[in-house]
Short mmCIF file of all heavy atoms in Angstrom, two decimals:
data_model
loop_
_atom_site.label_atom_id
_atom_site.label_comp_id
_atom_site.label_asym_id
_atom_site.label_seq_id
_atom_site.Cartn_x
_atom_site.Cartn_y
_atom_site.Cartn_z
N LEU A 10 102.94 138.44 109.95
CA LEU A 10 104.08 137.81 109.31
C LEU A 10 104.76 138.75 108.44
O LEU A 10 105.92 138.88 108.27
CB LEU A 10 103.67 136.52 108.59
CG LEU A 10 103.17 135.36 109.45
CD1 LEU A 10 102.61 134.24 108.65
CD2 LEU A 10 104.16 134.94 110.40
N ALA A 23 118.39 149.66 106.30
CA ALA A 23 118.75 150.97 106.89
C ALA A 23 120.06 151.06 107.25
O ALA A 23 120.82 152.07 107.14
CB ALA A 23 117.74 151.26 108.07
N GLY A 76 122.82 168.40 102.18
CA GLY A 76 121.64 169.39 102.14
C GLY A 76 121.00 169.35 100.84
O GLY A 76 119.80 169.42 100.77
N ALA A 78 121.04 166.94 98.50
CA ALA A 78 120.43 165.77 98.40
C ALA A 78 119.11 165.63 98.99
O ALA A 78 118.10 165.14 98.51
CB ALA A 78 121.36 164.51 98.92
N VAL A 118 126.52 149.59 88.81
CA VAL A 118 126.99 150.79 89.60
C VAL A 118 127.18 150.49 90.96
O VAL A 118 128.21 150.77 91.62
CB VAL A 118 125.90 151.89 89.41
CG1 VAL A 118 126.30 153.12 90.20
CG2 VAL A 118 125.97 152.33 87.86
N LYS A 174 112.34 128.62 101.62
CA LYS A 174 111.49 129.56 100.81
C LYS A 174 110.43 130.23 101.71
O LYS A 174 110.10 131.39 101.63
CB LYS A 174 110.80 128.79 99.69
CG LYS A 174 111.83 128.33 98.63
CD LYS A 174 111.17 127.65 97.49
CE LYS A 174 112.12 127.24 96.37
NZ LYS A 174 111.59 126.59 95.26
N VAL A 198 136.19 138.49 117.01
CA VAL A 198 136.97 139.74 117.42
C VAL A 198 136.42 140.35 118.63
O VAL A 198 135.59 141.25 118.59
CB VAL A 198 136.98 140.76 116.34
CG1 VAL A 198 137.94 141.86 116.65
CG2 VAL A 198 137.47 140.13 115.00
N ILE A 209 131.21 149.00 112.21
CA ILE A 209 130.29 150.15 112.56
C ILE A 209 130.59 150.68 113.94
O ILE A 209 130.73 149.92 114.89
CB ILE A 209 128.87 149.65 112.46
CG1 ILE A 209 128.48 149.38 111.07
CG2 ILE A 209 127.86 150.78 113.01
CD1 ILE A 209 127.05 148.79 110.75
N SER A 231 125.39 174.68 88.16
CA SER A 231 125.58 173.20 88.07
C SER A 231 124.96 172.46 89.27
O SER A 231 124.40 171.33 89.18
CB SER A 231 127.09 172.90 88.01
OG SER A 231 127.73 173.33 89.18
N ILE A 236 120.55 169.06 91.25
CA ILE A 236 119.41 168.89 92.20
C ILE A 236 118.20 168.33 91.43
O ILE A 236 117.43 167.53 91.83
CB ILE A 236 119.24 170.17 93.02
CG1 ILE A 236 120.32 170.37 94.05
CG2 ILE A 236 117.84 170.09 93.65
CD1 ILE A 236 120.18 171.74 94.81
N VAL A 324 124.63 142.28 96.57
CA VAL A 324 123.82 141.06 96.23
C VAL A 324 122.37 141.47 96.09
O VAL A 324 121.73 140.90 95.13
CB VAL A 324 124.06 139.96 97.27
CG1 VAL A 324 123.15 138.76 96.94
CG2 VAL A 324 125.47 139.68 97.36
N GLY A 333 114.57 137.03 82.79
CA GLY A 333 113.76 136.64 81.81
C GLY A 333 113.25 137.84 80.97
O GLY A 333 112.78 137.72 79.77
N LEU A 354 125.38 155.83 79.85
CA LEU A 354 125.20 156.98 80.65
C LEU A 354 125.35 156.65 82.15
O LEU A 354 125.89 157.43 82.95
CB LEU A 354 123.80 157.60 80.43
CG LEU A 354 123.62 158.56 79.11
CD1 LEU A 354 122.19 158.81 78.90
CD2 LEU A 354 124.54 159.77 79.38
N GLY A 363 121.38 158.14 83.71
CA GLY A 363 120.90 156.95 82.91
C GLY A 363 119.47 156.68 83.12
O GLY A 363 118.68 156.45 82.13
N PHE A 369 112.93 159.17 79.58
CA PHE A 369 112.51 160.09 78.56
C PHE A 369 112.46 159.40 77.21
O PHE A 369 111.42 159.43 76.39
CB PHE A 369 113.48 161.31 78.60
CG PHE A 369 113.21 162.20 77.34
CD1 PHE A 369 112.08 163.14 77.48
CD2 PHE A 369 113.93 162.26 76.16
CE1 PHE A 369 111.90 164.00 76.43
CE2 PHE A 369 113.68 163.08 75.14
CZ PHE A 369 112.69 164.02 75.29
#
Side-chain angles (χ1 to χ4, degrees):
L10 294 177
V118 172
K174 292 182 180 179
V198 187
I209 295 178
S231 63
I236 288 173
V324 176
L354 280 171
F369 175 77

